[in-house]
Amino acid sequence: MDIDANTACEWAAANPLLEDQRMFFERTIQRVVSRHFEGQSPVRFRVTSTKVEKKPRREHPRNWTAFWVRIAIHDAMYAEALGMPSVEIDIAAPEQLGPEAVETIDLLGAPARVYSLHRIAGEKLRAYLTSLPEYRKKMGGGERLFRVKDLYDLTRILRARPLTDHAFWKKVGAEFQRACQSRLVDCQELSTFTQDWRTAQKIYESDPLLRSISFREAEVALTSIARLLEAEKIIPVDFPLQ
């Protein structure tokens, strides 16, 4: 299970020191997870340690420092087991969100605040671009493996919410613009998404977890989404370095 979170912009502004943020997360996560386990009947799990590290360890030059959380848990059902994997959570640096980007769902009887599907789609479009050569060059970073899983996920979203759902995709476009602005990601047209497309295809088709959706379907999905963004004048977007 991939567990991601965001630092709230308002909270980060009120607590600007990263070490204060790190210590808050470490204390609070230890307390609330322990409280949850202790409320279960019977009590099976116990938090043995919580560690929060800055990611990257050196502060990001653009204040995009994230946090990596590792929660070590003891399971009474396997009391003799050693070296059990920790629960890991990525907490991303603050990002601006639209008014409907977060919604509350019922998760096993407890309320959980999660990204709406249109925010997820917008962020996956942005995330794929951040792995491509133009963005890596712009930000002075090294090469990164193309995030082809985002293409797979976008295709699944398109299956569930076709482009005829104009209200949904209009919200996707708005969140895509916000997400790009947060990380200074440029997007001119479809060709921005299809940089070194043969490499993307090779990586996609070599991943057995993506075989339920063909690369061809993912290509058609991305093309149709990008064409919609163009038609709705959501792209081009350009955010120069300052």
Side-chain angles (χ1 to χ4, degrees), residues 10 22-23 27 58 79 83 117 120 184 203 225:
E10 298 79 8
R22 189 197 67 78
M23 292 176 63
R27 291 193 309 268
R58 291 184 179 180
L117 187 59
I120 292 172
L184 304 179
I203 297 170
I225 293 170

Side-chain angles (χ1 to χ4, degrees), residues 128 132 146 148 151 193-206 215 219:
Y128 183 70
L132 301 184
F146 288 16
V148 294
L151 304 179
F193 288 99
T194 57
Q195 299 166 53
D196 203 354
W197 197 235
R198 291 289 182 88
T199 297
Q201 180 178 5
K202 182 177 180 181
I203 297 170
Y204 188 104
E205 293 180 341
S206 67
F215 180 77
E219 180 178 38

Side-chain angles (χ1 to χ4, degrees), residues 25 52 57 59 92 97 111 122 133 149 164 177 181 196 200 210 217 237:
F25 286 134
V52 179
R57 294 190 179 183
E59 293 185 16
L97 304 175
K149 175 62 163 54
T164 51
Q177 286 182 324
Q181 184 174 13
D196 203 354
L210 308 184
E217 183 181 356
V237 291

